[in-house]
Amino acid sequence: MAVVHQYKNNGYNIVLDVNSGAVHVVDDVIYEIIPLFEKSTKEEIIEQLKETYSEKEIAESYQEIQELAANGELFTEDEYQGYIEEFETRPTVVKALCLHIAHDCNLACQYCFAEEGEYHGRRALMSFEVGKAALDFLIANSGNRRNLEVDFFGGEPLMNFEVVKQLVAYGREQEELHNKRFRFTLTTNGVLLNDEVMEFANQEMANVVLSIDGREEVNDRMRPFRGGAGSYRLIVPKFQKLADSRNQERYYVRGTFTRHNLDFSQDVLHLADLGFKQISVEPVVAQPEDEYALREEDLPRLFEEYDRLALELLRRHKEGKDFNFFHFMIDLEGGPCVAKRLSGCGSGTEYLAVTPWGDFYPCHQFVGNEAFLMGNVKDGIQNAKLQNEFKSCNVYAKEKCRECFARFYCSGGCAANSYNFHGSITDAYDIGCQLQKKRIECAIMIQAALAEEC
Amino acid sequence: MKHVKTLNTKKLQNTVKKGGCGECQTSCVGNQSCENK
């Protein structure tokens, strides 16, 4: 079981104590002693390192390592497995729904898993009645959870904006009646964004996700209209206006990078140069036969890009030109509890996707795959066996994750990606894992650099 | 400590007893915060 992860980045020697979450920046002598500490005596370590460091230095460092271990900040054992297994015998409650308010789209993005918004099926818009039944189901099945989440998703949700407004109004009416609090979010490609939508979003949406891939040529290659024209010039001014109207908070511009733009850090910086402060540009997940799919051989290049981006983020920070990059944001001090970290995203249990006609799937990425149909808004969950499979899909159920240093930051990865690449929800998508681990290393390095300012 | 700078004080093992309230946002976990501290 990996209990310590050590790496060097940007001149920092970083030691992550995996099971306590403690992060240490150490000097060279400590960095070299740690791998020897558990399998050698102090005398053996002195003998081994005496050509490089003085005996006093080694003895002093050895003592500091002992103190960290005694304090539960180094070589901490993983004693959580029994706890998580017990935790998951608790009754299932639902706390979040992804409403597929529109299975239709006005763009034809090449990499879209929803296939022009239709999800391998037919074009359809969700009616208010289906949406209302979904919210009623959520309230009735949320137990004593107070914070509930509803994502308006598609397709393109703004193709059904009237129903979005009606459902938000209905949700707000229910809050006081049931002592619940709704957190609504909206994901849009921006084509139909106008002043009315912006005003509504600023009043009601806790988060807005604005889809754009970066530089004009990159965006327009992958995100054209159905007739082939690019979308960049139409959406950028609208996104800038919305981001400013939200004080550059509670939104993300969110892009996808593919094999066509392995230099994706340039797209992130382009979005930052356009004035956006909350940015996510993420690797495409595509089948190997897709020409834009990322390949194993691309990984070294992508690692370099993440390193380059981390350094540029720090450089801009010093100049007062900060921006947030979603995958480099990490909360070392106030992050969630062990139960949350090891249970995963909650898909198929506390989080469900709802189709326009009211069917439940574990999450938006499973929609359209009939093997994952879980029930519907009228009859509730009908496939308890499938729900239990997702419920037990924690980090310890996944051989690749059980011993991974990143398990408390990644929670075992995406069940849909695992299924799409390996036919099982308890495996892991390997390229995604490699990239995730690199991002965590960069994120911690950034925290180390920022800590130097204190 | 002379050779070590520790960046955080929170220890995951201390979240076992009080954790699991489920009021935090759904994630799609490394960068979120506990909403029930």
Side-chain angles (χ1 to χ4, degrees), chain A residues 382-412:
Chain A
Q382 301 290 292
N383 192 340
K385 181 173 174 287
L386 187 59
Q387 187 178 48
N388 285 331
E389 279 178 39
F390 275 87
K391 197 172 181 180
S392 59
C393 184
N394 63 50
V395 163
Y396 299 109
K398 303 175 183 187
E399 197 175 337
K400 287 176 184 167
C401 306
R402 226 175 278 156
E403 305 207 356
C404 175
F405 83 84
R407 61 188 181 274
F408 290 97
Y409 299 99
C410 146
S411 293

Side-chain angles (χ1 to χ4, degrees), chain A residues 20-21 23-25 27 60 64 71-72 95 145-147 149 326 329 331 333-335 338 340 345 411 451, chain B residues 2-3 5-13 15-16 20-27 29-34:
Chain A
S20 71
V23 176
H24 312 287
V25 179
D27 64 10
E60 207 173 57
E64 289 190 9
N71 199 27
K95 69 175 186 183
R145 300 288 167 85
R146 181 155 186 269
N147 295 324
E149 294 164 56
F326 182 67
M329 294 165 71
D331 188 344
E333 198 62 73
V338 164
K340 167 72 176 179
C345 65
S411 293
Chain B
K2 190 175 161 188
H3 302 269
K5 178 175 182 175
T6 300
L7 299 185
N8 50 353
T9 56
K10 178 170 180 169
K11 288 187 257 186
L12 293 180
Q13 56 268 45
T15 70
V16 168
C21 73
E23 291 292 356
C24 53
Q25 286 180 45
T26 49
S27 55
V29 77
N31 70 31
Q32 75 177 143
S33 292
C34 174

